[in-house]
Amino acid sequence: MITGAKVIRKYEIADSGKRIDIICKYYPCFMDIVDNFIEEMEEDIKEEQDYNRRAEMGDLGVRVQTSGLSNPTQRDGVRHSALHTAILTGDFSGGELDGVSNVEEYLQDAALVRVMIDDYSKFEKRVKELVPRDKELFVAYLKQETSFMDIAESGGIQYESAKQKVRRIKVNIKEQIYRKKNRRG
């Protein structure tokens, strides 16, 4: 079984066509993989920042009460929200990456997140544009609710014809996505 991390790394090196293939292959859990990747990034950033902050203060493992009033739950919530928004938008100008050593790696990962979400959104829009019968068939195939054999039987066609039908739908979606990209530059 392939892990979400491996899917992310495959996606990172894939060209546009292969990225659509990856979305199709992992369609039922694709956005869960992206969400988990974002959560892991957030945890890694926060852990590194916390570790570096404690190291700067000479943390000896003993907590000392300071005289200021604070609300750590609220502070953590605001920090989490700001970091999550920064990853989704790519705007880290609020200091969300202050105190981390591998800033460039996090910036690249955040850019990858945006590409994955954008590609998935474009893919979903194209699927929604399919004629109802093709959409129903293709989505059922993507969700692994039906097989080529089931498609063949329900459509009264040969197994190879069912495979070709799904392949044509996927190729059509890829062409529509690329055509829109190429028109924009």
Side-chain angles (χ1 to χ4, degrees):
M1 178 169 200
I2 192 163
T3 64
K6 288 183 181 177
V7 173
I8 296 293
R9 294 307 154 211
K10 278 184 174 185
Y11 203 90
E12 185 175 35
I13 61 173
D15 63 16
S16 299
K18 283 288 184 193
R19 291 194 316 243
I20 299 300
D21 293 338
I22 292 169
I23 290 171
C24 288
K25 183 173 182 177
Y26 297 100
Y27 183 80
C29 61
F30 186 80
M31 286 309 296
D32 292 330
I33 291 169
V34 174
D35 290 341
N36 287 340
F37 183 51
I38 292 169
E39 285 178 28
E40 289 171 9
M41 280 181 61
E42 292 169 355
E43 289 172 15
D44 290 348
I45 290 167
K46 286 191 254 183
E47 285 176 12
E48 185 175 350
Q49 288 172 330
D50 291 347
Y51 176 82
N52 289 339
R53 189 176 336 100
R54 284 190 306 271
E56 282 178 12
M57 295 172 56
D59 186 6
L60 300 174
V62 178
R63 304 249 341 178
V64 177
Q65 178 69 36
T66 60
S67 61
L69 296 174
S70 72
N71 184 340
T73 304
Q74 179 184 15
R75 185 178 59 241
D76 287 346
V78 169
R79 178 181 173 200
H80 173 77
S81 178
L83 183 55
H84 190 78
T85 300
I87 290 170
L88 293 177
T89 63
D91 181 6
F92 292 90
S93 61
E96 293 83 4
L97 293 179
D98 289 353
V100 296
S101 56
N102 47 351
V103 171
E104 195 59 39
E105 183 180 323
Y106 290 122
L107 291 174
Q108 289 173 354
D109 286 348
L112 178 60
V113 164
R114 288 188 310 283
V115 168
M116 294 177 83
I117 292 170
D118 186 50
D119 286 350
Y120 185 81
S121 175
K122 289 174 185 171
F123 181 80
E124 283 287 281
K125 286 177 185 175
R126 298 303 156 247
V127 169
K128 287 179 182 176
E129 292 174 351
L130 293 171
V131 296
R133 175 70 182 133
D134 285 352
K135 179 169 52 174
E136 179 184 325
L137 177 144
F138 191 58
V139 170
Y141 173 75
L142 291 174
K143 290 182 176 180
Q144 300 169 0
E145 296 169 347
T146 190
S147 66
F148 291 129
M149 188 57 76
D150 295 334
I151 294 168
E153 288 175 6
S154 70
I157 57 177
Q158 297 294 318
Y159 178 84
E160 285 301 316
S161 297
K163 281 177 67 172
Q164 285 296 96
K165 184 170 184 71
V166 170
R167 190 187 73 69
R168 277 193 303 270
I169 292 170
K170 187 161 75 167
V171 166
N172 184 30
I173 288 172
K174 281 182 182 182
E175 287 174 354
Q176 288 178 9
I177 290 171
Y178 299 142
R179 187 172 40 235
K180 296 230 182 224
K181 270 187 184 178
N182 291 336
R183 272 193 259 151
R184 285 189 223 131

